[in-house]
Amino acid sequence: MAITLVNPEGLPKIDVYRQVAVASGSKMVFVAGQVAWDVDGVTIGEGDLAAQVEQCYLNVGTALAAAGGSFDDVAKLTVYVVDWTPDKMPLLQNGISRAAASLGAAPVPPATLVGVAALDIPEHLVEIEATAILD
């Protein structure tokens, strides 16, 4: 495995991600920001942040698989959420948990959460991009 996830002493331990990813592989994979579209471009979970987070993670998983990888290979995630406020954290975590159950893996690489004013279309509440390292 090209990625080792670490929560070093001296930094807080966060349930939904690890603080550091150490990469040792040779193939880099950059996944474009994934929104809550199905294969036909229809928005899944309109108005439902948890459902959209789940679909975004599933889409990232599909993109990684196309490159020969999985969430085990992800070194960094960036999550963009429209009109982010801390009270939305349970919805975000719920969507991540649902995606993890579907994927059979916990997507916990280092992550950055960025609140944004808007995304590509008004129906999209979240977008997730990933960087992965493969052997």
Side-chain angles (χ1 to χ4, degrees):
M1 187 177 314
I3 302 293
T4 302
L5 300 178
V6 180
N7 267 330
E9 293 298 322
L11 292 178
K13 291 181 178 33
I14 309 296
D15 290 337
V16 296
Y17 66 88
R18 301 299 175 263
Q19 294 284 7
V20 177
V22 179
S24 61
S26 59
K27 181 179 176 183
M28 296 180 73
V29 178
F30 300 92
V31 177
Q34 296 297 304
V35 294
W37 276 332
D38 68 8
V39 69
D40 297 315
V42 175
T43 299
I44 301 298
E46 191 169 332
D48 182 342
L49 181 60
Q52 288 201 17
V53 168
E54 178 183 15
Q55 185 64 42
C56 290
Y57 272 91
L58 295 176
N59 289 350
V60 169
T62 298
L64 292 167
S70 72
F71 270 97
D72 290 338
D73 303 303
V74 174
K76 177 75 167 70
L77 288 174
T78 304
V79 180
Y80 302 93
V81 182
V82 173
D83 296 327
W84 174 257
T85 56
D87 63 309
K88 294 180 181 177
M89 184 60 79
L91 295 171
L92 180 76
Q93 291 174 321
N94 180 269
I96 293 169
S97 294
R98 289 166 31 184
S102 294
L103 294 165
V108 295
T112 299
L113 174 64
V114 181
V116 295
L119 292 170
D120 59 332
I121 62 173
E123 293 80 18
H124 290 157
L125 305 175
V126 63
E127 183 170 333
I128 302 172
E129 64 183 20
T131 302
I133 310 294
L134 305 178
D135 282 327

